Amino acid sequence: MLGLLYKDVYSAKKELLMTLGFVLVFCVFNLVIGQEEMLGPAVGVLLSLGCMVPCYSIHYDKANGWNKFICASPISRGKVVLSKYIAGLVSTAVMNLIVIADNLGLGSPMPAWSYPVFLSLTLLFQAVMIPVCLKLGQNFVVAVFMGMIFVPMALLFGLNRLGVWSDEAIRSAFDFVEQNAGALAPFAALAVVALYVGSFFLTLHFYRKMEF
């Protein structure tokens, strides 16, 4: 397993180094100017990059013929798929630690309960994007990622403009979630874990059916 993870890091080292460099530049800039308004975009960038890390490896496995080699070896396809999800968990942890450090550096404008929310969102995106990347390719990952962000926003905006969901209703919904975050957190965590595990088995199913 460590060998598979090392291979993933080595094969995508350029992208990972660029990602880390971009993250550091963005965070340093955010801390230097000291504007809380920039924290939201910073978090968005960090979580987006955290979602993409496992997809780098899947893309390179297809591009350089690694799949043909590994599937002819004694290593099971289950271990190969598991390594992608472990890499996803590691990247999620790293990016969320950077989010916490960035927030603390700005005086903690975001509440502590937002940390598990960001963690869950990253895992949610990965759970969707990893099987999509394996089955359909990197280009579809970008389209799905953008759709997962903008479709809910467009739907919310459209319902608001049509008067179906008023500003007061939106604020009430956010207030309800904030006030009941402790009670809702276990259910949300279970849902994310179930989705992530289900995503693993779906990706494994795709991988076992593929001919390389």
Side-chain angles (χ1 to χ4, degrees), residues 9-194:
V9 172
Y10 183 81
S11 62
K13 62 181 180 180
K14 291 183 179 179
E15 284 75 11
L16 292 176
L17 288 174
M18 290 177 60
T19 297
L20 290 175
F22 184 73
V23 165
L24 290 176
V25 169
F26 204 92
C27 289
V28 170
F29 175 76
N30 192 26
L31 292 174
V32 168
I33 63 174
Q35 292 185 2
E36 296 181 3
E37 293 79 7
M38 290 296 296
L39 186 58
V43 170
V45 170
L46 291 169
L47 298 186
S48 300
L49 293 173
C51 293
M52 294 301 296
V53 168
C55 298
Y56 293 153
S57 174
I58 294 174
H59 171 72
Y60 275 101
D61 285 355
K62 288 183 177 181
N64 60 23
W66 168 262
N67 287 322
K68 294 180 181 179
F69 167 78
I70 197 64
C71 290
S73 73
I75 299 176
S76 69
R77 296 195 181 194
K79 286 186 177 180
V80 176
V81 174
L82 182 60
S83 69
K84 309 304 180 187
Y85 281 83
I86 292 177
L89 292 173
V90 172
S91 66
T92 298
V94 171
M95 291 302 175
N96 278 269
L97 286 174
I98 297 175
V99 168
I100 294 173
D102 200 14
N103 185 45
L104 294 175
L106 289 172
S108 299
M110 294 189 307
W113 59 261
S114 64
Y115 300 149
V117 172
F118 297 143
L119 178 66
S120 298
L121 286 175
T122 311
L123 295 178
L124 173 63
F125 277 89
Q126 281 187 7
V128 175
M129 293 164 60
I130 292 176
V132 168
C133 185
L134 180 67
K135 186 69 173 179
L136 301 176
Q138 188 80 358
N139 293 333
F140 281 91
V141 169
V142 177
V144 169
F145 179 74
M146 299 301 290
M148 291 179 69
I149 294 175
F150 291 109
V151 169
M153 293 176 60
L155 182 62
L156 183 62
F157 179 77
L159 292 175
N160 180 256
R161 294 287 291 179
L162 293 172
V164 177
W165 204 357
S166 64
D167 293 338
E168 292 76 13
I170 295 174
R171 282 194 293 269
S172 297
F174 279 104
D175 290 341
F176 175 81
V177 172
E178 184 174 1
Q179 294 169 5
N180 298 275
L184 296 174
F187 298 100
L190 286 174
V192 171
V193 170

